[in-house]
Amino acid sequence: MQVLVVGAGVVGLGIARAVALAGHEVIVAEAESAIGTVTSSRHSEVIHAGLYYPTNSLRALHCPRSRRMLYDYCATRGVPHRKTGKIVVATNDNELKRLDDIYKQAQINGCENLALIDAAAVKKLEPEVFCVGAMNSPETGIIDSHSYMLALRGEIEDHGGMIALNTRIERLVQVPSGWEIHFGDGETIVVDAVVNSAGLGAQKLARATEGYPQARVPKLALAKGNYFSYAGRPVFKRLVYPTPVPGGLGTHVVLDLGGRMRFGPDVEWIEHENYDVDPGRAAAFYGSIRKYWPGLPDNSLIRDYAGIRPKISAQGEPQKDFIIDAPKDHGVPRLVMLFGIESPGLTSSLSIGEDVANYLSS
């Protein structure tokens, strides 16, 4: 079977790898000039444990399972990563109640080695943190996402797959032998199956897919996450997260393998795709960070980068789950549509890949 995967972000590459390992011929079509240049290169590079996600959600299914797979993958493929651990902090009694709920949900989700700890125990782990209590998640870590995507690409190509860069898909048409792919340059090919993993472009491609029920295409809401880097040396050894906020996980401590410390992302709802970081947003960052790090010096935050979450729930709406719309759901053969694959998409990529490969083979 010849499979076209649209989108060479981390999830698309994870899917293409799984499809190639299953013995199928794979083509990955990427509109940009390199792999993983949009959402997949503009995030916190965190390997999430799977703490927050509702029972029986796709996030709760894929994140913990894929996290274990990902640590094994990094170890065997030489992908730089580090199991830093993470503490989720509560700075008042209301947040402490919320933290207890997160702890219970994380246990339901099968997250290992969690512990609720008091402020004194937090001080021993991270002396600069202020809180009234916290949850310690030692299974959380960080990863070099670019190296990870290169490893996935290498596996795809080792198994005969191909990455086609600067390749924009305009239309998908169902034909008796499979799917006719219409490219931006006017060329066409026919493949047996298609996976739409186009991220921010997934809805546009779904609307240009003849035969796919248009009522199943969710709206796209753009939630930009801005990051600011810290001008001094890192003061934390592990990731520090506040209790979650609507639309995201709060402005947290971001560590990378190069030794830098950053903060973010916030949640900025936007109408059109742009990656400019407004330096004026730093004022809100200082306020958010000082709730758990009162010692943050003035004038120490420098605007860095921004990413955009491909959300399918708008501002003020409850968080919606990943959508992986398979033939068993929509009735169209050999077509899988993915929508709203935001955090923890990177962590979930190997598990999502396996499931999508199974959907195409069944």
Side-chain angles (χ1 to χ4, degrees), residues 161-175:
M162 181 179 73
I163 312 290
L165 302 173
N166 298 305
T167 302
R168 190 172 297 276
I169 309 298
E170 294 294 335
R171 194 156 54 101
L172 304 175
V173 179
Q174 192 176 8
V175 294

Side-chain angles (χ1 to χ4, degrees), residues 37-361:
T37 59
V38 188
T39 305
S40 294
S41 61
R42 296 173 172 273
H43 52 75
S44 300
E45 296 191 300
V46 171
I47 300 176
H48 289 283
L51 309 177
Y52 310 95
Y53 314 115
T55 306
N56 297 324
S57 66
L58 289 178
R59 281 177 166 89
L61 166 68
H62 287 296
C63 186
R65 182 173 82 182
S66 196
R67 182 244 307 159
R68 301 178 195 109
M69 297 165 65
L70 185 54
Y71 278 128
D72 288 342
Y73 186 88
C74 289
T76 57
R77 301 287 298 189
V79 176
H81 68 289
R82 187 166 77 246
K83 196 180 283 189
T84 57
K86 153 179 160 177
I87 53 174
V88 183
V89 300
T91 58
N92 56 53
D93 289 342
N94 287 336
E95 291 180 357
L96 205 57
K97 171 64 171 64
R98 173 71 179 126
L99 197 64
D100 187 59
D101 293 339
I102 294 170
Y103 175 72
K104 292 173 182 174
Q105 185 61 52
Q107 289 183 309
I108 293 170
N109 292 350
C111 298
E112 309 92 332
N113 303 320
L114 300 173
L116 291 173
I117 56 178
D118 60 19
V122 173
K123 282 291 181 186
K124 291 180 181 178
L125 296 175
E126 296 291 350
E128 294 286 333
V129 169
F130 165 78
C131 66
V132 296
M135 181 173 65
N136 188 24
S137 171
E139 298 302 314
T140 303
I142 56 176
I143 185 172
D144 180 338
S145 58
H146 184 64
S147 294
Y148 173 47
M149 289 188 285
L150 288 176
L152 293 172
R153 178 178 185 169
E155 270 200 287
I156 293 163
E157 293 175 340
D158 286 347
H159 286 80
M162 181 179 73
I163 312 290
L165 302 173
N166 298 305
T167 302
R168 190 172 297 276
I169 309 298
E170 294 294 335
R171 194 156 54 101
L172 304 175
V173 179
Q174 192 176 8
V175 294
S177 56
W179 288 93
E180 186 175 74
I181 314 304
H182 292 250
F183 297 99
D185 60 4
E187 296 292 318
T188 64
I189 64 169
V190 175
V191 299
D192 298 306
V194 176
V195 178
N196 175 4
S197 183
L200 293 172
Q203 279 86 342
K204 181 179 179 182
L205 181 60
R207 287 192 290 269
T209 301
E210 294 187 13
Y212 181 68
Q214 294 299 289
R216 300 183 71 87
V217 182
K219 64 187 174 187
L220 173 64
L222 303 181
K224 184 160 74 169
N226 300 279
Y227 292 83
F228 283 78
S229 58
Y230 179 61
R233 292 184 177 182
V235 299
F236 302 110
K237 294 182 240 171
R238 53 187 55 74
L239 306 176
V240 181
Y241 278 59
T243 49
V245 298
L249 297 180
T251 304
H252 51 261
V253 175
V254 180
L255 303 172
D256 68 22
L257 294 165
R260 290 199 311 155
M261 184 169 81
R262 301 188 301 279
F263 294 91
D266 61 356
V267 180
E268 178 186 359
W269 295 95
I270 57 175
E271 293 295 324
H272 305 287
E273 189 176 346
N274 80 82
Y275 297 95
D276 297 330
V277 178
D278 177 4
R281 297 187 73 83
F285 270 68
Y286 282 105
S288 297
I289 296 163
R290 282 175 174 154
K291 290 179 182 177
Y292 60 83
W293 183 28
L296 173 66
D298 290 336
N299 304 314
S300 60
L301 298 181
I302 303 165
R303 64 175 174 171
D304 203 322
Y305 65 97
I308 298 176
R309 308 167 180 91
K311 284 188 171 293
I312 51 178
S313 49
Q315 184 175 9
E317 294 180 349
Q319 172 93 314
K320 290 184 181 176
D321 197 14
F322 295 163
I323 294 177
I324 303 176
D325 205 18
K328 65 181 179 60
D329 305 308
H330 55 64
V332 183
R334 293 189 173 176
L335 176 71
V336 179
M337 296 279 185
L338 291 91
F339 305 106
I341 312 295
E342 48 167 321
S343 181
L346 182 151
T347 307
S348 302
S349 54
L350 293 177
S351 178
I352 289 174
E354 285 193 352
D355 272 15
V356 171
N358 289 335
Y359 293 147
L360 292 175
S361 299

